[in-house]
């Protein structure tokens, strides 16, 4: 997929690991290195990256990559990028693309945990996506594509408005629409020794349309043992073909009791960094109620942080990352801020998180 279609997404995602990078060099969009944001992250006690290689344009991104390679550094890609020879990468672009392709899930998941799905050519979508039935549409591509643009949910009887990715892809995945009772994010990692290990299990919050809206950490309903075993096995299967790094597996229990794997995300995700942040600065909060959220506004990030300063001083709130497109060449002026709300009372945590979203998302 042409990179220009999702520049803002790439920029935001590149900045996400900065909050927990410490001394590890990170090639990051300048949108995530705004001085007020970096200061806020450090004030929260996070091990913010001390070696951020900034880029503001597409050309600067490839320049930073070239500089890193010339220094003898190895690259770890969260999304497939034409960044250099495979031997200089922790994981190849081909492998990262294949693992994150929504059409590849059947390769790694035991059939008893698979939802019913089919790969469909975009030219044949009309027959596979009738308006009178419910279904889910996902992008099928090895290329880097936009987060939140790769899932489209259709309820029976609604007007079908196909998402933008159907205009640029040749194949998509059409999946059954499930009635979900519980929705988990299983956070795992594969270290240099090639062994898959569990970090934590989180609850996934979804909005009224069923789209991911954040995670719940602590006091999570336990994952059924056979589903947890399968999650570890999936991560190990990926490890055995060369994957190294973090991954998040989205899985669910339906109202009729089925256990289903929904998505395999072999990259740092919206659930990974909040979990690492809590583990680093508020380890005691891991077993207490906490919820992650994202604020999106047209105001500059400095103004948003200034407005949040009283809430940050009161405690129970941690900024884990952000991005302001004003520091890049992107034409749309947009600020994104990632936070965790935590405390002792789950009702209070939810109330404070919802209040932040109501006040600042616009």
């Amino acid at each position: 997929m042409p990179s220009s279609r999702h520049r803002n997404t790439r920029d935001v995602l590149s900045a996400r690991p900065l909050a927990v990078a410490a001394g590890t060099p990170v090639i990051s969009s300048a949108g995530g290195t705004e001085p007020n944001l970096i200061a806020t992250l450090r004030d929260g006690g996070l091990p913010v990256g001390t070696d951020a290689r900034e880029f503001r344009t597409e050309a600067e991104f490839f320049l930073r990559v070239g500089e890193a390679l010339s220094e003898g550094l190895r690259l770890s890609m969260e999304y497939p990028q034409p960044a250099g020879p495979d031997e200089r990468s922790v994981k190849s672009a081909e492998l990262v693309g294949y693992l994150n392709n929504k059409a590849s899930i059947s390769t790694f998941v035991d059939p008893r945990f698979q939802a019913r799905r089919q790969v469909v050519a975009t030219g044949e979508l009309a027959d596979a996506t009738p308006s009178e039935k419910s279904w889910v549409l996902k992008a099928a591509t090895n290329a880097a594509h936009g987060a939140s643009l790769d899932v489209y949910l259709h309820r029976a009887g609604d007007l079908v408005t196909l998402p933008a990715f159907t205009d640029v892809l040749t194949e998509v995945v059409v999946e059954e629409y499930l009635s979900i009772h519980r929705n988990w994010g299983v956070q795992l990692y594969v270290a240099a020794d090639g062994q898959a290990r569990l970090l934590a299990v989180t609850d996934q919050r979804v909005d009224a349309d069923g789209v991911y809206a954040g995670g719940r950490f602590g006091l999570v309903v336990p994952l059924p043992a056979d589903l947890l075993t399968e999650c570890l096995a999936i991560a190990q299967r990926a490890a055995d073909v060369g994957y190294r790094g973090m991954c998040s597996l989205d899985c669910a229990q339906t109202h009729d009791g089925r256990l289903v794997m929904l998505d395999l995300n072999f990259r740092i995700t919206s659930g990974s960094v909040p979990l690492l942040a809590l583990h680093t600065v508020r380890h005691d909060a891991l077993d207490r109620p906490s919820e992650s959220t994202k604020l999106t506004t047209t105001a500059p990030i400095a103004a948003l942080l200034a407005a949040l300063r009283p809430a940050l001083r009161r405690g129970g709130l941690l900024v884990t990352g952000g991005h302001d497109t004003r520091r890049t060449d992107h034409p749309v002026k947009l600020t994104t801020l990632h936070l965790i709300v935590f405390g002792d009372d789950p009702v209070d945590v939810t109330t404070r998180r919802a209040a932040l979203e109501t006040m600042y998302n616009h």
Side-chain angles (χ1 to χ4, degrees), residues 1 122-123 125 137 149 162-172:
M1 177 174 291
T122 49
L125 260 179
L137 195 64
L149 288 179
L162 294 176
F165 63 74
T166 59
D167 294 330
V168 292
L169 299 182
T170 58
E171 291 184 329
V172 294

Side-chain angles (χ1 to χ4, degrees), residues 131-285:
S131 62
E132 67 271 14
K133 293 185 178 180
S134 297
W135 37 265
V136 179
L137 195 64
K138 299 178 179 179
T141 174
N142 281 16
H145 56 82
S148 300
L149 288 179
D150 54 359
V151 177
Y152 172 78
L153 299 100
H154 173 76
R155 289 189 176 92
D158 289 351
L159 179 68
V160 176
T161 306
L162 294 176
F165 63 74
T166 59
D167 294 330
V168 292
L169 299 182
T170 58
E171 291 184 329
V172 294
V173 174
V174 181
E175 188 175 282
E176 66 176 316
Y177 194 109
L178 298 168
S179 177
I180 294 176
H181 176 50
R182 291 195 175 96
N183 190 350
W184 294 282
V186 184
Q187 313 293 334
L188 306 104
Y189 70 99
V190 179
D193 63 2
Q195 182 67 42
R197 295 178 174 85
L198 176 70
L199 274 174
V201 177
T202 65
D203 275 333
Q204 309 264 51
R205 285 193 303 108
V206 295
D207 63 19
D209 295 319
V211 177
Y212 178 80
R216 291 191 180 94
F217 307 81
L219 305 183
V220 174
V221 174
L223 204 66
D226 53 347
L227 186 55
L228 179 57
T229 298
E230 175 62 11
C231 288
L232 282 162
I234 290 167
Q236 190 59 54
R237 289 169 198 139
D240 292 344
V241 295
Y243 185 78
R244 299 293 182 270
M246 302 190 69
C247 60
S248 176
L249 310 185
D250 296 345
C251 50
Q253 182 181 46
T254 64
H255 282 288
D256 60 4
R258 289 174 61 195
L259 299 175
V260 184
M261 294 300 309
L262 301 175
D263 280 310
L264 311 182
N265 303 298
F266 284 93
R267 58 182 181 268
I268 292 174
T269 67
S270 296
S272 309
V273 172
L275 180 63
L276 293 174
L278 284 177
H279 188 275
T280 302
V281 302
R282 288 302 305 264
H283 195 274
D284 60 316

Side-chain angles (χ1 to χ4, degrees), residues 33-69:
T33 59
E34 198 276 341
N36 293 282
L37 172 62
I38 296 298
T40 301
L41 294 173
R42 291 199 171 114
D43 287 346
L46 290 170
V48 183
T50 56
D51 189 358
R53 316 289 181 94
E54 295 181 345
F55 68 90
R56 288 173 168 79
T57 67
E58 204 77 4
E60 283 189 0
F61 170 78
F62 290 107
L63 182 62
R64 298 290 90 80
V65 168
E67 290 170 350
L69 291 173

